[in-house]
Amino acid sequence: EVTSLLSLYGGQFSGEQEIRVNSPFWILNIPSEDMARGLMKRTVCAKSIFELWGHGRSAGELYASLKDYPMEKMLPYLQSDSTYKVHIHTFNKTLTQAQKIKKIDALEFLPFKGKVNLKKPEHTFWILEDYGMDPNNVPEEPFHLYFGRWVHGQRELIESYSVKKRHFIGNTSMDACLSFIMANHGRVKPNDVVYDPFVGTGGLLISSAHFGAYVCGTDIDYNTIHGLGKASRKNQKWRGPDENIRANLRQYGLEKYYLDALVSDSSRLIWRKGMLFDAIITDPPYGIREATRRTGSQKETVKSAERSTENHIFVSSSYHLSDIFFDLLKFAAEYLVMGGRLVYWLPIYRPEYTEEIIPRHPCLKLVSNCEQMLSSHTSRRLITMEKVKEFKDQDQNSYLLDGQCMPYRGHNSFREKYFSGVTKRIAKEEKENQK
């Protein structure tokens, strides 16, 4: 998420620090404080951002680093008419109050001239200490120490957009935190057009609209799009007259960004050629809590019909997981703008997982692959891809396998390679957990 936002706002990871993969602290090079604030207003993975005045592997290295920091950069925040506070944060270790006071007193060489105000200081300075990630093996001394001026923090987004308070929800409405992470992976910005082909109750549209993008979506479920049928909320039997996607956006003051939501089958294209989206952000159904369906049947004969409360009739057949992802990648390759991003979730059975099973397309580059653990054996991967090549007719039925462009021949051969039994295993484990 942070890497995506740096590419959007400007900046990069610093070469100063030996980056430890699991370190909770990162050093970034960001051109201005305004850019740093802009990044923090969007991220939900980072807690705070600081102007770094010094750091080191020991207290001695930290103090030497602070003495080398330009005095002209310090002085505006140390004036006699200002107030300040020094806060200590230790990761993976708890210090006593006496230990904290000792560490603060050791900074007496810094020219603090203002008054201490512990409740509402103008400037807050932090000592950050990293004691590693292993709670069973905490070192006596920290691996790394940092000192800096607090610039901005952001944790309000998750609470203010909580699904618990949302007007219209479904069985699989996306958690607000994950929804904003997906929008950030997609680098959604003002005036973008963002599309969700499996829109459901529109949870993913809300996060994109919050960042100023115009949003739209499609779903095969007529009742969900029109806000009809049984409610998903506890102690409520039927959906109310104003439970729909538009009402959700209205709830957050984002209705002006809502384009529309259509009843449509994602396996059958409805958009004219040249209709381009800046980002496609979606959570495809896995066939566990939400059915995987498409219109028609294998033999194009009517075998079953489903009827909504509005007497809307359509024929549906099963939609294999492999076909869902192939159609999604093909659609993104054709309808994304150049440099636009596709962000989606991929279910995984962990004992059999290898990176080779991630679906690829010759027009899309894999940008990131992040895991969300669901259980010891199952997880889902947040896949982010970027369009790097114009879509041509020969890409219509192609996918990448081991770097080679191959023709797609349907779910049987494709699923053997990629998704053999994934849905069944996840469903079985979920039933066992419910018991």
Side-chain angles (χ1 to χ4, degrees):
E1 186 208 41
V2 173
T3 302
S4 294
L5 291 176
L6 285 174
S7 68
L8 185 63
Y9 282 91
Q12 60 187 4
F13 284 94
S14 172
E16 287 182 56
Q17 182 186 18
E18 178 188 339
I19 300 294
R20 293 190 297 111
V21 175
N22 292 323
S23 174
F25 305 107
W26 292 341
I27 299 180
L28 310 176
N29 284 330
I30 299 179
S32 72
E33 189 168 314
D34 286 341
M35 288 184 179
R37 290 179 183 276
L39 186 151
M40 284 307 301
K41 286 178 181 178
R42 290 193 54 152
T43 178
V44 293
C45 289
K47 289 185 178 180
S48 291
I49 195 164
F50 308 86
E51 181 184 59
L52 185 63
W53 287 14
H55 66 100
R57 296 179 181 277
S58 65
E61 282 189 21
L62 171 64
Y63 303 151
S65 178
L66 283 170
K67 290 173 183 176
D68 289 338
Y69 191 72
M71 186 60 65
E72 64 270 17
K73 291 186 178 181
M74 289 187 183
L75 288 178
Y77 308 102
L78 307 178
Q79 297 300 313
S80 57
D81 59 348
S82 65
T83 58
Y84 74 95
K85 172 186 176 181
V86 179
H87 185 88
I88 295 182
H89 175 76
T90 54
F91 189 86
N92 199 30
K93 188 170 185 175
T94 301
L95 299 181
T96 64
Q97 190 63 23
Q99 289 174 315
K100 290 180 180 181
I101 292 172
K102 184 179 179 181
K103 289 176 182 289
I104 293 173
D105 289 343
L107 297 173
E108 61 183 2
F109 62 88
L110 292 175
F112 289 109
K113 296 178 181 178
K115 295 181 180 179
V116 174
N117 185 327
L118 300 181
K119 292 185 177 180
K120 291 185 178 181
E122 290 179 54
H123 310 296
T124 305
F125 303 93
W126 286 58
I127 300 172
L128 306 168
E129 297 187 347
D130 179 7
Y131 287 86
M133 303 290 287
D134 185 359
N136 298 316
N137 187 24
V138 180
E140 283 296 320
E141 299 296 327
F143 292 118
H144 216 103
L145 300 93
Y146 309 85
F147 180 87
R149 178 177 64 87
W150 183 87
V151 173
H152 200 276
Q154 165 68 296
R155 302 298 283 175
E156 294 82 19
L157 274 180
I158 302 170
E159 180 61 29
S160 58
Y161 283 89
S162 172
V163 174
K164 295 177 182 178
K165 303 174 184 177
R166 192 166 298 166
H167 188 62
F168 178 46
I169 62 169
N171 293 331
T172 57
S173 291
M174 183 63 65
D175 173 77
C177 176
L178 296 177
S179 179
F180 279 103
I181 289 174
M182 293 177 76
N184 286 333
H185 274 246
R187 297 194 299 193
V188 174
K189 58 188 183 298
N191 299 320
D192 278 355
V193 178
V194 178
Y195 173 64
D196 183 353
F198 304 96
V199 70
T201 55
L204 296 180
L205 302 187
I206 292 171
S207 55
S208 294
H210 173 83
F211 295 134
Y214 294 93
V215 296
C216 58
T218 58
D219 201 286
I220 197 172
D221 192 322
Y222 180 93
N223 284 353
T224 300
I225 290 294
H226 289 277
L228 303 171
K230 291 184 177 181
S232 298
R233 201 179 299 277
K234 188 178 180 182
N235 300 325
Q236 182 182 343
K237 190 172 183 180
W238 301 101
R239 287 172 177 151
D242 193 32
E243 284 192 53
N244 51 54
I245 297 172
R246 181 186 290 275
N248 274 351
L249 288 155
R250 188 186 304 126
Q251 177 184 352
Y252 300 111
L254 303 172
E255 188 177 1
K256 65 180 180 179
Y257 297 112
Y258 181 57
L259 298 178
D260 210 345
L262 312 174
V263 179
S264 172
D265 177 1
S266 65
S267 69
R268 298 176 185 264
L269 296 180
I270 62 170
W271 305 102
R272 63 174 173 82
K273 299 291 183 182
M275 182 66 181
L276 300 178
F277 301 104
D278 296 286
I280 298 171
I281 300 175
T282 191
D283 181 26
Y286 313 143
I288 301 170
R289 294 182 186 176
E290 296 288 348
T292 55
R293 296 181 296 153
R294 58 179 165 189
T295 56
S297 64
Q298 301 298 332
K299 296 181 180 180
E300 296 301 323
T301 59
V302 178
K303 289 187 176 180
S304 63
E306 297 186 5
R307 214 176 265 272
S308 80
T309 56
E310 295 290 310
N311 294 323
H312 175 79
I313 301 172
F314 66 90
V315 180
S316 67
S317 64
S318 61
Y319 193 7
H320 291 278
L321 200 58
S322 55
D323 290 337
I324 289 177
F325 292 119
F326 172 74
D327 288 342
L328 178 61
L329 265 64
K330 182 175 69 173
F331 179 86
E334 185 170 1
Y335 287 92
L336 276 175
V337 300
M338 189 61 68
R341 288 192 168 187
L342 165 67
V343 184
Y344 71 95
W345 289 100
L346 180 74
I348 290 299
Y349 184 65
R350 300 185 74 237
E352 297 178 5
Y353 169 76
T354 62
E355 195 165 304
E356 286 71 33
I357 75 169
I358 298 170
R360 308 291 181 98
H361 191 280
C363 296
L364 302 173
K365 177 183 76 173
L366 180 65
V367 174
S368 67
N369 170 12
C370 309
E371 184 179 27
Q372 182 196 19
M373 295 279 291
L374 301 177
S375 71
S376 59
H377 291 88
T378 61
S379 67
R380 57 179 180 175
R381 296 260 170 179
L382 183 60
I383 306 298
T384 304
M385 309 186 90
E386 187 173 312
K387 184 173 179 178
V388 294
K389 173 189 167 187
E390 288 291 355
F391 185 87
K392 297 179 180 178
D393 290 341
Q394 58 263 37
D395 299 317
Q396 190 68 238
N397 292 299
S398 300
Y399 73 97
L400 281 181
L401 179 61
D402 298 329
Q404 300 295 315
C405 193
M406 307 284 287
Y408 180 76
R409 299 187 180 89
H411 70 269
N412 290 327
S413 60
F414 192 78
R415 188 165 182 160
E416 284 176 8
K417 174 68 179 176
Y418 290 112
F419 298 111
S420 178
V422 170
T423 305
K424 291 181 180 178
R425 290 188 180 97
I426 295 176
K428 181 180 179 181
E429 190 152 316
E430 190 160 287
K431 286 181 180 178
E432 290 174 354
N433 290 339
Q434 288 174 354
K435 290 179 182 178

